[in-house]
Structures are given as C-alpha cells and as structure tokens.
Amino acid sequence: MANAAYPLRWRVMDALEATLAAVWPRGLDRAVPWLMLLPAILLVMLLALGLVQIGDASLRVLDRATFLPSETLTGENYGRIFTTGLYWTVLWRSLLASVIVTCICLVFALPYAYLMVRTPSATLRKILLIALFLPFFIGQVVRAYGWLIILGNQGIVNEVMGLVGVPPMRLLYNYPAVIFGLVQYMLPFAVLMLSPALTAIPEEVEAAASSLGANWWRTLVHVVLPMARPGLIGAGLVVMTLTLTDFAMPAILGGGSQDFIANAIYDQFFRTSDQGMGAALTLVLVGVGSLAVGLVFTLFGAGTLAMGRERK
C-alpha cells in the first residue's frame, strides 16, 4: 500500500532534486541571475572585441603597392573622411533619410496601431495583424525588387498612367524612391513598437475626456499622444537606427547613386579592398548613430527602452 501511495515517478523526482541539491547548494542561488546574463555578457564582450579590432584597422592605411595595411598607426583615414565632400554627402543623406523616414512612419503608424488596438471588430483586428506581419515573411531584398517591377519604366504604375495619356516617369533610382522603400519597410516596426503603448492607455481615460467636452482632436492631442509618448520615442529610435544603417534599399532603389553609409562601407571592404577606410567609416557610423540616439534620449527620454524606470 505504501508503494502504491508513493508512485515511482515521485521517487525519481525526489532523487533528481537531491542530486541537484548536492551539485548546486542553495547558497549559490544568488549566482543564478548572473548565469542567465552570461550569454548576453559574452555577446557584448565579442562586440567590444570586434570594435577594438575595427578601431585598430581604421588606423592603418592601405599600401597601394602591396594592397596590405600599413604597419604604422595613423589617422589619415579619418582625415580623408572629414575632408572629402563625397563622404559628407553620404553622411548627410543617411541622416536626413533617417529623420524623414522616422517622421513619416510615426505619422502613419499611430492611426494604424490605434485602430488595431481600439477596434471592437475581431475580424478587422485579425486583418490588420495579418497585414502587419505578412511583410516579415518577405525579405527586404525581395520587397525592393518588387518595387522595381512596380515602379520601373515599364512597370505597372507607368503602364496605368500611360492609359490616361501620361508619359512614362522616372520613379526609381532617386532619393524619393529610396525614402518610399524605407518607409514601406520600416512601418511595421513602428507599429509593433507603438501598439503596446497604446494598449496600456485605458479606454476609460479617453471616455472621461469625451464626457468632459473634449472632441476627438483634443482627446488625441491632450490625452492619447502624451500617454503614448514612450511608445512614440521607442518606435522612433528603432526606425531611425535601422534606417541609418540600411543597405539594401539605397543599393537597389537608389541604383548606386543614392548610397548610404552602409553602402560606402561595403564598397571599401569588398570593391576597393581598403579595409582601413571601411573600418574608419564603420566607426563613424557607430559614432553618428550613438550621438543621434543620445540626442533623442536627452531631448525626449528613452521611452519604452527605459525598462520601466521613466516616470513622466
């Protein structure tokens, strides 16, 4: 009867628990959080090691005779970056695109996320979710080539305009085409970052504002936007950094004439084999991105990236 009251699987679990207690005493429980952080710490260490190696490579000039990096350290690569108009143009183009794409994505993401969160229709919510996640199943390069087919000289858009007598227009290989492609690519990220912030806003707060005489515009400006501010900041930071470092859209939709910093880095590493210049441009990109994020943190706070510490 005693054996029946105490099944074998319980005895196995007791034995495993006793073994674990012998191997890992309770006094070591404080080390569990650090063990869970160990993979992240290792990744950060690898990243830091890579940045140190990139920094060393950035201080070495390519010897055009041997196509090997110089043995001596020099800041010539950085001097060329900050004295060459081409690199300033590429840097300015990247920064401007990150600001433009971020603003456009936030403008379009807010009503999309708000409708998805507040709609009482489960069917509409599912449709919006499917439309939001479907682009993630299609790679960025595939989407960019799809826009080549749609916006090309013989594409669908020009064919439709030709039916009404409008001559073919050049819709590709220019800056607006790159901006358009980036907005289309970054918009789902902005919606995903913004939706939790809107979900956290109680509907009762909006109802109270309406009952006090506020119309929908006043409710949006004075209630929804202030309370959704952390989500707006988080979404803006994600879109801005992803746009600043994007490679595919400028390369494909820009046709080589609208390169960003990532494209210039690729050219230095794989086309001219100037690893020193490529490493210097990499660190410039890291520095510019860090300064931009730091500026946003200073002006607006960290938003949803503050891990719950920001209380405003």
Side-chain angles (χ1 to χ4, degrees), residues 19 52 76 285:
T19 303
V52 171
E76 182 178 340
L285 175 58

Side-chain angles (χ1 to χ4, degrees), residues 19-30:
T19 303
L20 181 61
V23 175
W24 188 269
R26 292 187 177 275
L28 298 178
D29 287 348
R30 295 182 179 180

Side-chain angles (χ1 to χ4, degrees), residues 4-287:
Y6 201 74
L8 177 62
R9 63 178 180 274
W10 290 7
R11 298 185 183 185
V12 173
M13 295 299 297
D14 288 343
L16 291 175
E17 184 178 358
T19 303
L20 181 61
V23 175
W24 188 269
R26 292 187 177 275
L28 298 178
D29 287 348
R30 295 182 179 180
V32 172
W34 293 103
L35 289 176
M36 297 178 68
L37 284 175
L38 185 60
I41 295 174
L42 292 176
L43 287 176
V44 172
M45 292 176 61
L46 289 175
L47 176 61
L49 178 61
L51 288 176
V52 171
Q53 293 180 338
I54 291 175
D56 177 77
S58 70
L59 298 175
R60 301 181 186 275
V61 180
L62 178 66
D63 187 346
R64 299 293 178 179
T66 61
F67 281 93
L68 294 175
S70 63
E71 296 294 333
T72 58
L73 302 181
T74 176
E76 182 178 340
N77 290 323
Y78 294 99
R80 288 170 54 194
I81 291 174
F82 294 113
T83 57
T84 304
L86 175 62
Y87 294 122
W88 279 108
T89 301
V90 171
L91 178 60
W92 169 248
R93 183 187 297 137
S94 304
L95 285 172
L96 182 61
S98 66
V99 174
I100 294 174
V101 172
T102 299
C103 294
I104 295 176
C105 283
L106 291 181
V107 169
F108 283 99
L110 180 62
Y112 192 105
Y114 186 84
L115 178 61
M116 185 173 64
V117 169
R118 288 289 190 258
T119 178
S121 173
T123 301
L124 179 59
R125 185 179 296 109
K126 290 179 181 179
I127 293 175
L128 293 175
L129 284 172
I130 292 174
L132 177 65
F133 283 100
L134 189 60
F136 289 106
F137 296 96
I138 306 173
Q140 185 183 16
V141 175
V142 176
R143 275 188 268 179
Y145 277 110
W147 288 119
L148 288 180
I149 298 174
I150 296 173
L151 302 177
N153 291 335
Q154 306 298 325
I156 298 174
V157 175
N158 274 316
E159 287 186 358
V160 172
M161 289 192 300
L163 296 176
V164 294
V166 179
M169 300 174 59
R170 183 180 179 182
L171 303 175
L172 291 173
Y173 309 131
N174 49 44
Y175 198 58
V178 176
I179 297 296
F180 177 81
L182 286 171
V183 169
Q184 187 269 339
Y185 176 67
M186 300 297 175
L187 186 59
F189 293 99
V191 175
L192 286 177
M193 292 294 297
L194 189 55
S195 295
L198 294 175
T199 304
I201 301 175
E203 294 186 43
E204 293 79 5
V205 176
E206 299 178 47
S210 299
S211 65
L212 293 174
N215 55 26
W216 70 270
W217 176 251
R218 288 181 175 272
T219 302
L220 174 67
V221 173
H222 297 288
V223 177
V224 176
L225 288 181
M227 297 186 71
R229 179 171 173 265
L232 290 170
I233 297 172
L237 285 172
V238 170
V239 173
M240 181 182 67
T241 52
L242 289 177
T243 301
L244 187 63
T245 59
D246 195 77
F247 172 84
M249 289 297 177
I252 298 175
L253 298 183
S257 64
Q258 305 295 329
D259 286 347
F260 285 9
I261 303 180
N263 305 100
I265 294 172
Y266 176 88
D267 291 340
Q268 295 298 327
F269 273 111
F270 299 105
R271 292 186 179 179
T272 63
S273 298
D274 192 345
Q275 296 186 5
M277 179 57 72
L281 285 171
T282 301
L283 290 185
V284 169
L285 175 58
V286 172

